[in-house]
C-alpha cells in the first residue's frame, strides 16, 4: 500500500492516535483541534515522507503514536522554547512544575490550569492544586504599596511557625529519601533500573514491562519485590524507616518528589508531556 | 544524541525488536525523556487498542442488517429510472451567489462566494429553497439507491445544505469503493474544507488537502481540484504554497470567471512572511 493510501485508509486510526496523545497531554477543545491540524499536515507533508518511512515492523497505531508524540514535543518546544521551573516548583514536585508552567509560562488562568493538573495526577483535588498555586513564587508581579484594612493587624501565631518548621523538616526528609533512592537506582543494572522506571515511573503493568524488557513476565514480580527490598534497605541505612516514609506519604510530600524513576526533572509518570524537555 | 526512529520505538513498544535493538533502545530511554514519553505513549495506545478490540461487539448483527437493507433497497432500484441527481443540483444552484466556497464537480456554474449564509436569509432566498428541495430529493433517493452516483449526489446535496460532516462519511465510503474517481476525491476535499470552516475543525483542512492531492494525482488538470487545493492552502496560511497553487490554477484555466477569482485571491495573498511555515510546493 502506498503511503497516501495508508493515510486515507487509516484516517480513523490517525484521529484516535491524535486524540489519545492529546488526552494524555491535557490538550482539549480548540488546542487539541489545532494540534490535530498540525500533526496531520506533518503526516502528509513532503508527499507523505513520514509514512513512506514506515516499513511495517511495528503496528501502525504504535508507529503513529510515536510520531504524533514527537510532533507534540517539537511543537511545544517551538512555541514555548525551553522553560525552566522555579526551584520552589521543582521542590514541590511534578504537579507543581506542571501548574507553574501552565499559569506562568503559558499564562493560563488558574481555573483553566486546575483541571489539567488534576487530570495529570488523580490523587490531587482542586483544593490541593490551589494550595500548590499559593506556594509557587510570584515571578511577574511587581510589589506595590496597598492600603491595609483596619482589621488586618494579624500576625503569625506561634502555632503557624511550628507548622512551618514541621513542614520544612518533612521536606528535608523527603529530599533525603529521594536522593537515597536515586543513588541506589544508579547502582542497579540497566534492566533493573528500567524495570522500576517502567513499572513505577511510567506506570506500566508488569505484562507491558516484561514485553518492553524482552523477559518473561513471571520472574519480574519477584524481581520487583527484591528491588524494593533493596531500596528499603538503603533507605533504612540512611535513617529513613517505614514510619518516616509513612509520615511523608500522609503529608503528601512524596507525591511530587523526584525519585529518579522518571527521566529528567519533570517526569513522565503522570502523563504530562506538557513538561517535556528535549533529550 | 541519536534517537531511535519512530518505527523502532513503536516496534519496541510492541515487543517486536531483536535483542541488540532492545538493549540499545533501553539504554537510550534510560537517559532520554522525550523518547521515554513516546515509548510510554505507544505502549498506552497499544493497551487501549487491545482493550477496545476485546470488548464484545455484535458486529455481525450490524453487518447482516446492512446486507438485508442493501438487498431490499436494490429491488426498487432495478425498476426505477434514475435521474442524474448531481445535474438536478446543478440546475437548481443559485446563479447569483455560490453556496459553498470550494468547487464541487458536476458542472456548477461560477457564482461569487459571499460568505456563509445567515439564519435569517434562509426563508427569503428562493433560490436556496429550490436548491434545498433538490437536495432533499437527492438525499432521499440515496436511501434507496446505493450506487456511487446516487451516493455522490446525496453527498454533494449535503454539502450544499450545510451538512458537510455527513457528506464526508458518504464520500469517504465511495472513495474506498472507487479509489480512482477524481470527482469523489475532489468533492471529499470540498466537503472537508466546508466542515473545517463551518464546524471550526481546522484538523480537517490537512485531510481536505490530502483529498485534493489525491484527485490531482488521478487528473492533474482537474480544474475543481486545482482550485480547491489552492483554497485549502490559502486557508491553512501556507502563503507560498498557496501562491504557487493559484498560479498553477490560472495556468490551466486562464479565462473563466473562476480564473478571475483565482487572480483576485492571488493578489490578496500577503507577502510571504518570514515566519511562514516551510512551503510544500513539492506536492503533486
Amino acid at each position: 500500500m502506498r503511503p497516501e493510501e495508508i493515510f486515507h485508509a487509516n484516517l480513523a486510526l490517525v484521529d484516535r492516535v491524535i486524540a489519545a496523545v492529546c488526552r494524555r497531554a491535557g490538550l482539549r477543545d480548540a488546542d487539541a483541534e489545532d494540534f490535530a491540524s498540525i500533526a496531520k499536515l506533518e503526516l502528509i507533508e513532503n508527499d507523505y515522507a513520514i509514512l513512506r518511512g514506515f516499513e511495517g515492523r511495528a503496528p501502525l497505531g504504535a508507529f503513529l503514536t510515536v510520531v504524533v508524540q514527537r510532533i507534540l514535543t517539537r511543537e511545544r518546544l517551538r512555541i514555548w522554547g525551553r522553560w525552566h521551573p522555579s526551584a520552589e516548583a521543582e521542590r514541590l514536585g511534578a504537579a507543581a512544575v506542571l501548574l507553574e508552567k501552565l499559569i506562568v509560562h503559558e499564562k493560563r488562568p488558574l481555573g483553566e490550569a486546575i483541571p489539567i493538573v488534576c487530570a495529570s495526577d488523580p490523587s490531587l483535588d482542586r483544593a490541593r492544586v490551589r494550595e500548590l498555586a499559593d506556594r509557587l513564587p510570584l515571578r511577574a508581579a511587581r510589589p506595590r504599596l496597598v492600603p491595609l484594612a483596619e482589621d488586618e493587624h494579624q500576625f503569625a501565631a506561634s502555632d503557624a511557625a511550628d507548622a512551618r518548621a514541621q513542614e520544612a523538616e518533612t521536606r528535608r526528609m523527603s529530599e533525603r529519601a529521594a536522593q537515597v533512592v536515586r543513588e541506589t537506582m544508579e547502582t542497579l543494572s540497566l534492566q533493573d533500573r528500567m524495570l522500576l522506571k517502567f513499572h513505577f515511573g511510567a506506570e506500566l503493568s508488569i505484562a507491558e514491562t516484561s514485553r518492553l524488557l524482552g523477559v518473561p513476565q513471571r520472574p519480574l514480580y519477584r524481581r520487583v519485590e527484591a528491588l524494593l527490598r533493596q531500596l528499603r534497605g538503603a533507605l533504612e541505612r540512611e535513617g529513613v524507616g517505614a514510619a518516616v516514609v509513612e509520615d511523608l506519604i500522609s503529608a503528601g510530600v512524596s507525591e511530587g518528589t523526584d525519585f529518579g524513576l522518571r527521566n529528567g526533572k519533570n517526569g513522565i509518570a503522570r502523563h504530562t508531556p506538557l513538561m517535556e524537555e528535549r533529550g | 544524541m541519536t534517537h531511535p526512529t519512530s518505527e523502532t520505538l513503536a516496534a519496541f513498544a510492541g515487543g517486536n525488536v531483536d535483542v541488540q535493538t532492545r538493549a540499545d533502545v533501553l539504554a537510550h530511554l534510560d537517559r532520554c525523556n522525550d523518547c521515554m514519553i513516546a515509548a510510554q505513549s505507544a505502549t498506552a495506545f497499544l493497551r487501549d487498542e487491545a482493550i477496545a478490540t476485546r470488548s464484545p461487539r455484535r458486529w455481525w448483527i450490524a453487518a447482516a442488517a446492512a446486507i438485508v437493507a442493501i438487498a431490499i433497497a436494490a429491488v426498487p432500484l432495478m425498476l426505477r429510472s434514475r435521474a442524474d441527481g448531481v445535474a438536478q443540483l446543478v440546475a437548481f444552484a443559485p446563479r447569483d451567489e455560490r453556496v459553498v466556497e470550494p468547487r464541487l464537480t458536476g458542472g456548477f456554474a461560477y457564482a461569487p462566494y459571499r460568505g456563509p449564509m445567515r439564519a435569517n436569509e434562509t426563508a427569503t432566498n428562493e433560490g436556496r429553497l429550490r436548491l434545498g428541495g433538490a437536495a432533499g430529493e437527492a438525499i432521499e433517493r440515496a436511501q434507496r439507491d446505493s450506487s456511487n452516483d446516487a451516493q455522490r449526489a446525496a453527498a454533494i446535496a449535503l454539502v450544499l445544505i450545510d451538512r458537510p460532516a455527513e457528506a464526508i462519511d458518504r464520500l469517504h465510503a465511495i472513495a474506498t469503493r472507487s479509489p480512482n474517481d477524481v470527482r469523489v476525491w475532489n468533492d471529499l476535499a470540498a466537503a472537508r474544507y466546508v466542515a473545517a470552516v463551518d464546524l471550526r475543525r481546522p484538523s480537517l483542512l490537512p485531510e481536505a488537502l490530502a483529498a485534493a492531492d489525491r484527485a490531482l494525482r488521478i487528473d492533474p488538470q482537474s480544474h475543481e481540484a486545482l482550485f480547491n487545493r489552492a483554497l485549502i492552502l490559502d486557508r491553512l496560511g501556507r502563503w507560498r504554497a498557496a501562491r504557487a497553487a493559484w498560479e498553477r490554477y490560472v495556468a490551466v484555466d486562464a479565462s473563466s470567471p473562476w480564473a478571475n477569482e483565482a487572480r483576485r485571491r492571488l493578489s490578496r495573498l500577503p507577502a510571504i512572511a518570514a515566519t511562514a511555515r516551510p512551503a510544500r510546493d513539492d506536492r503533486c
Side-chain angles (χ1 to χ4, degrees), chain A residues 40 45 47 193 263 277, chain B residues 29-30 34 207 217 238:
Chain A
K40 285 177 187 172
E45 206 135 43
D47 201 12
R193 196 161 58 245
N263 285 346
E277 299 288 334
Chain B
L29 294 183
D30 192 25
D34 289 348
E207 294 182 23
R217 267 191 214 285
R238 302 253 167 154

Side-chain angles (χ1 to χ4, degrees), chain B:
Chain B
M1 187 188 295
T2 306
H3 301 273
T5 65
S6 295
E7 182 152 19
T8 299
L9 218 44
F12 170 81
N16 300 321
V17 287
D18 58 43
V19 175
Q20 185 56 51
T21 306
R22 178 177 293 111
D24 292 344
V25 172
L26 283 172
H28 182 82
L29 294 183
D30 192 25
R31 60 185 191 280
C32 177
N33 199 33
D34 289 348
C35 290
M36 184 72 166
I37 290 168
Q40 179 190 353
S41 206
T43 306
F45 179 83
L46 290 171
R47 179 202 308 146
D48 294 347
E49 288 287 288
I51 291 167
T53 309
R54 275 201 302 269
S55 62
R57 280 187 187 159
R58 299 282 177 92
W59 61 270
W60 53 271
I61 295 177
I67 291 166
V68 170
I70 289 167
I72 292 169
V75 176
L77 281 179
M78 307 291 179
L79 309 171
R80 187 186 174 97
S81 64
R82 264 184 223 157
D84 185 344
V86 178
Q88 258 186 315
L89 293 169
V90 169
F92 283 107
R95 306 285 180 201
D96 55 343
E97 64 169 333
R98 192 151 91 241
V99 178
V100 292
E101 195 175 8
R103 287 187 69 172
L104 294 159
T105 55
F108 286 89
Y110 177 80
Y113 180 67
R114 298 197 174 96
M117 186 176 64
R118 287 165 183 79
N120 59 1
E121 291 173 328
T122 314
T124 57
N125 191 323
E126 289 176 16
R128 296 229 186 198
L129 283 174
R130 280 197 298 273
L131 178 65
E137 274 184 38
I139 294 165
E140 190 186 3
R141 194 177 305 122
Q143 288 172 353
R144 303 183 303 266
D145 184 349
S146 60
S147 71
N148 284 356
D149 285 344
Q151 294 301 317
R152 191 171 71 84
I156 289 175
L158 287 164
V159 174
L160 293 172
I161 60 170
D162 219 11
R163 285 160 60 185
E166 294 165 69
I168 291 170
D169 291 342
R170 277 180 202 254
L171 288 164
H172 192 260
I174 307 170
T176 306
R177 290 197 297 271
S178 303
N180 294 315
D181 190 333
V182 63
R183 299 169 306 170
V184 176
W185 286 107
N186 174 73
D187 295 338
L188 183 56
R192 284 173 174 166
Y193 178 92
V194 173
V197 176
D198 289 1
L199 308 177
R200 296 185 184 180
R201 290 191 55 200
S203 72
L204 287 171
L205 287 173
E207 294 182 23
L209 183 61
D213 281 342
R214 181 65 183 261
L216 288 169
R217 267 191 214 285
I218 299 164
D219 178 6
Q221 303 295 314
S222 164
H223 288 195
E224 290 89 351
L226 284 169
F227 187 94
N228 289 342
R229 183 170 181 271
L231 192 66
I232 296 160
L233 288 166
D234 208 334
R235 174 67 68 164
L236 278 166
R238 302 253 167 154
W239 314 129
R240 192 194 308 267
R243 181 175 296 280
W246 285 124
E247 284 170 351
R248 186 173 163 191
Y249 180 82
V250 293
V252 299
D253 174 14
S255 57
S256 78
W258 294 103
N260 293 336
E261 179 172 325
R263 286 194 195 88
R264 276 198 303 278
R265 288 179 179 274
L266 192 52
S267 69
R268 286 204 300 259
L269 277 179
I272 295 162
T275 53
R277 293 173 71 93
R280 298 156 16 99
D281 297 341
D282 54 340
R283 194 188 306 279
C284 294

Side-chain angles (χ1 to χ4, degrees), chain A:
Chain A
M1 199 183 265
R2 289 189 320 205
E4 183 186 29
E5 289 165 351
I6 292 175
F7 179 80
H8 287 295
N10 291 283
L11 263 176
L13 177 65
V14 170
D15 280 333
R16 278 207 309 282
V17 164
I18 292 173
V21 169
C22 285
R23 196 171 55 245
R24 280 191 287 273
L27 277 182
R28 288 187 305 180
D29 306 329
D31 288 343
E33 187 62 31
D34 284 344
F35 173 68
S37 177
I38 291 165
K40 285 177 187 172
L41 260 180
E42 285 220 21
L43 284 175
I44 66 177
E45 206 135 43
N46 296 320
D47 201 12
Y48 302 87
I50 290 175
L51 290 175
R52 218 175 319 122
F54 179 62
E55 297 168 0
R57 288 185 288 119
L60 181 61
F63 169 75
L64 288 170
T65 302
V66 174
V67 167
V68 171
Q69 185 68 59
R70 284 177 160 173
I71 292 172
L72 179 64
T73 301
R74 279 202 305 275
E75 193 58 23
R76 288 185 153 167
L77 190 65
R78 186 182 69 79
I79 293 169
W80 299 334
R82 288 191 187 282
W83 180 78
H84 300 288
S86 66
E88 178 67 8
E90 281 194 324
R91 203 168 51 73
L92 290 171
V97 170
L98 171 60
L99 179 64
E100 189 182 55
K101 191 162 199 169
L102 291 169
I103 60 180
V104 177
H105 187 50
E106 295 180 34
K107 305 204 185 323
R108 297 200 200 196
L110 183 61
E112 191 180 320
I114 285 175
I116 297 174
V117 177
C118 286
S120 77
D121 185 345
S123 71
L124 294 174
D125 58 19
R126 299 178 73 86
R128 173 78 183 129
V129 177
R130 280 187 190 281
E131 273 177 37
L132 283 175
D134 288 342
R135 288 158 71 173
L136 290 174
L138 288 174
R139 283 176 151 187
R142 185 187 289 265
R144 61 191 172 91
L145 290 171
V146 293
L148 279 175
E150 289 297 317
D151 59 348
E152 285 191 0
H153 296 291
Q154 294 172 2
F155 299 97
S158 60
D159 282 357
D162 287 349
R164 277 203 297 276
Q166 177 64 38
E167 193 178 297
E169 174 58 18
T170 307
R171 280 192 200 143
R172 194 191 63 75
M173 192 52 86
S174 174
E175 282 163 16
R176 180 72 195 127
Q179 188 185 352
V180 171
V181 172
R182 283 199 302 271
E183 285 170 1
T184 310
M185 291 271 291
E186 283 303 311
T187 66
L188 301 178
S189 69
L190 174 64
Q191 189 173 69
D192 285 343
R193 196 161 58 245
M194 295 310 288
L195 167 58
L196 293 177
K197 282 185 177 184
F198 285 142
H199 188 49
F200 294 106
E203 296 180 347
L204 301 182
S205 68
I206 286 291
E208 288 164 338
T209 303
S210 79
R211 189 176 73 220
L212 296 183
L213 294 175
V215 296
Q217 180 178 337
R218 211 167 172 156
L220 284 187
Y221 293 99
R222 283 192 176 178
R223 190 66 201 144
V224 167
E225 283 175 21
L227 289 169
L228 289 180
R229 272 199 303 276
Q230 194 175 334
L231 286 170
R232 190 168 61 222
L235 283 166
E236 283 171 351
R237 278 194 298 280
E238 295 295 327
V240 187
V244 174
V245 171
E246 205 170 298
D247 287 346
L248 292 177
I249 291 169
S250 60
V253 180
S254 61
E255 281 297 322
T257 308
D258 176 15
F259 289 102
L261 292 169
R262 310 159 191 174
N263 285 346
K265 289 179 180 175
N266 297 331
I268 59 169
R270 306 295 180 194
H271 306 308
T272 51
L274 278 166
M275 304 185 295
E276 288 169 11
E277 299 288 334
R278 293 293 286 168

